[in-house]
Amino acid sequence: MSAEPRAVPKYYLLKEQLRALVRDATPGALIPTERALAEQYATSRTTVRQAIGELVAEGVLGRAQGRGTFVAPPRFTYVRQLTSFSDDADAQGLVSSSTVLDVSRTAADDDAAARLRVPVGAELARVERIRLINGEPLAHEVALLAGALPGLAAHLDRTGSLYTALRQDYGIDIVAAEDTVETRLAGPDDVRLLGIEMGAPLLLIHRLGFTADDSPVEWTRSVFRGDRFRFLARMKGPQH
């Protein structure tokens, strides 16, 4: 006996209708209010709110207090390899920048010591930044680097790129990396730093960067807005 097909939820049907409605709309264009949409589609505001909420989480729509709900701009495609954040933005005609929150020295805790193969308590350089695209905060990064790296703040300010500063000023060339990607929901710190709503989807990425002799020198924790980023990984097949 075959199972009865499940009915498609009303909010999902509405969500797909709204997706089609805004597909060719100009980024930034406002959509009708929840009340207007409920009347237009003969449904409840609760159903409208759930449909809009999922489209916001997917990056199709955006929402700002005092402005309303609008068509979100296209997602920034980040080629998560050894190209820089700035390089990937430039390739798409976008303007990247960073707000440096902290450049300091810290002692390695158990986790950082194990990742970077240094003793617990060893001195590390710490760099905390907000990464922006077209002036919009899209990622929060904290990098821990083996060694004290004196003068790092000035070198980072001059180059605008951590990898460039490491290579040019310290002779540290990161040639390989391991990335671990997880999903999570925004908490109070993410709301404050990225200007997003509580519970918004995020991508949490840990990167361990290696030099040519397989020495780990960088351990970075990055939190990216899930509604504004998508990642592209490029891999080469076996050589014949």
Side-chain angles (χ1 to χ4, degrees):
M1 184 176 180
S2 60
E4 290 290 331
R6 293 185 178 182
V8 179
K10 288 183 179 179
Y11 84 88
Y12 183 85
L13 292 173
L14 177 59
K15 182 179 80 168
E16 295 309 305
Q17 289 176 302
L18 293 178
R19 189 195 304 277
L21 180 68
V22 304
R23 183 170 291 126
D24 298 321
T26 302
L30 293 174
I31 70 167
T33 64
E34 290 181 1
R35 175 175 295 181
L37 288 171
E39 293 177 356
Q40 179 179 345
Y41 290 96
T43 189
S44 69
R45 290 183 65 178
T46 300
T47 298
V48 172
R49 191 173 299 118
Q50 186 173 2
I52 289 176
E54 291 204 1
L55 290 173
V56 170
E58 293 175 13
V60 176
L61 298 176
R63 194 158 46 194
Q65 188 171 2
R67 180 183 174 191
T69 305
F70 53 91
V71 179
R75 292 191 187 197
F76 169 49
T77 301
Y78 189 14
V79 184
R80 189 70 181 178
Q81 295 189 96
L82 294 176
T83 52
S84 71
F85 184 92
S86 302
D87 290 340
D88 288 333
D90 291 345
Q92 297 172 69
L94 303 171
V95 179
S96 66
S97 59
S98 297
T99 299
V100 178
L101 302 180
D102 177 61
V103 179
S104 59
R105 299 178 184 180
T106 189
D109 60 15
D110 291 347
D111 187 38
R115 302 287 183 179
L116 294 172
R117 302 177 196 163
V118 298
V120 173
E123 188 174 31
L124 303 175
R126 181 183 185 276
V127 177
E128 181 178 5
R129 296 180 291 176
I130 300 294
R131 313 305 300 269
L132 303 96
I133 295 292
N134 294 345
E136 182 182 10
L138 297 185
H140 173 228
E141 294 185 350
V142 177
L144 298 177
L145 305 154
L149 305 181
L152 179 58
H155 296 313
L156 184 58
D157 183 61
R158 175 180 55 81
T159 63
S161 167
L162 180 58
Y163 278 19
T164 299
L166 291 175
R167 183 173 60 254
Q168 291 183 355
D169 299 295
Y170 303 98
I172 299 173
D173 195 7
I174 296 175
V175 300
E178 293 177 358
D179 287 348
T180 303
V181 183
E182 304 173 30
T183 58
R184 50 165 286 189
L185 300 179
D189 287 342
D190 305 307
V191 171
R192 175 176 57 85
L193 292 168
L194 298 177
I196 55 180
E197 296 181 333
M198 183 74 76
L202 300 172
L203 291 174
L204 171 62
I205 300 180
H206 284 100
R207 161 166 287 195
L208 190 59
F210 299 86
T211 54
D213 63 357
D214 201 38
S215 297
V217 293
E218 173 212 7
W219 176 237
T220 296
R221 177 187 182 275
S222 304
V223 176
F224 290 86
R225 286 180 53 172
D227 63 331
R228 295 292 289 111
F229 273 90
R230 61 185 173 195
F231 291 89
L232 173 64
R234 292 176 179 163
M235 294 175 287
K236 291 184 177 180
Q239 300 298 312
H240 298 286

